[in-house]
Structure formats: C-alpha cells, structure tokens
Amino acid sequence: MHGVRPNPRLDEREVLSAMLDREPHLATDRPSLLVIAGKDFASKEFEADLAFRGAELLRPSFKREKKRKGESLLKSVRQLIESVNVRPRPRA
C-alpha cells in the first residue's frame, strides 16, 4: 500500500477496513493478527469486522469499560514503538 494517501476526512477505522478490503492478504496471511490501536478505534462493528478477517483489536479501555484482554501490555508496546520512532539527531 505504498504511496496511498487516504482522504483526511475518512475515519481511521474506515481507512484500515478499506486497506484490508483491497489487500485481504494483509490479514489472511497472518493468522491471529493483532491490531494495536488507540481508543479512537473503539467500535463493536469494527471489532466484529476484524474478527471476521481473523484479526483481533488491542486497544485501551474507556473508564466505563472493564479492562480489556491484553491491555496491560499496551504501555510497554507503546514505549517500544516510540523508542523506534525517535531518531537521534546527526552530529554536526
């Protein structure tokens, strides 16, 4: 999906669903795919769509929700991702 620029008005869930519609192998070639996302991906319909594709959503719970399965792992995973994204500045 290199070079794809989604419409900025589209919801992130719609963009991911469209990507998986266009490139279904992204999910089917990865059994038990775990999608790690933020609270903004919360939607019963979206989670059902991911489950239909064989994927599972890992996201933080809202205050009104009970803790979600795997939620305790999110902090360490997020720190790891942020550490990879932070690049040291080149020395002059």
Side-chain angles (χ1 to χ4, degrees):
M1 301 281 317
H2 178 67
V4 173
R5 292 185 182 175
N7 182 336
R9 294 185 179 140
L10 286 177
D11 182 273
E12 292 172 321
R13 294 173 294 203
E14 292 177 77
V15 172
L16 180 57
S17 291
M19 286 172 57
L20 294 175
D21 286 342
R22 182 179 170 108
E23 307 279 346
H25 65 88
L26 294 174
T28 57
D29 291 355
R30 296 165 176 87
S32 303
L33 176 66
L34 182 63
V35 177
I36 301 172
K39 290 180 183 179
D40 49 335
F41 277 76
S43 163
K44 288 181 181 179
E45 294 82 17
F46 180 68
E47 286 193 56
D49 181 50
L50 284 179
F52 176 76
R53 299 171 192 268
E56 187 177 351
L57 178 66
L58 176 58
R59 66 164 178 82
S61 61
F62 288 102
K63 289 181 181 178
R64 69 182 185 275
E65 293 179 308
K66 65 179 183 175
K67 292 284 184 188
R68 297 173 56 87
K69 177 183 164 190
E71 186 174 355
S72 61
L73 303 172
L74 283 175
K75 184 176 181 179
S76 59
V77 169
R78 185 175 184 164
Q79 288 173 342
L80 176 64
I81 291 169
E82 288 175 3
S83 71
V84 170
N85 287 334
V86 174
R87 297 180 184 160
R89 294 182 183 185
R91 295 184 183 190

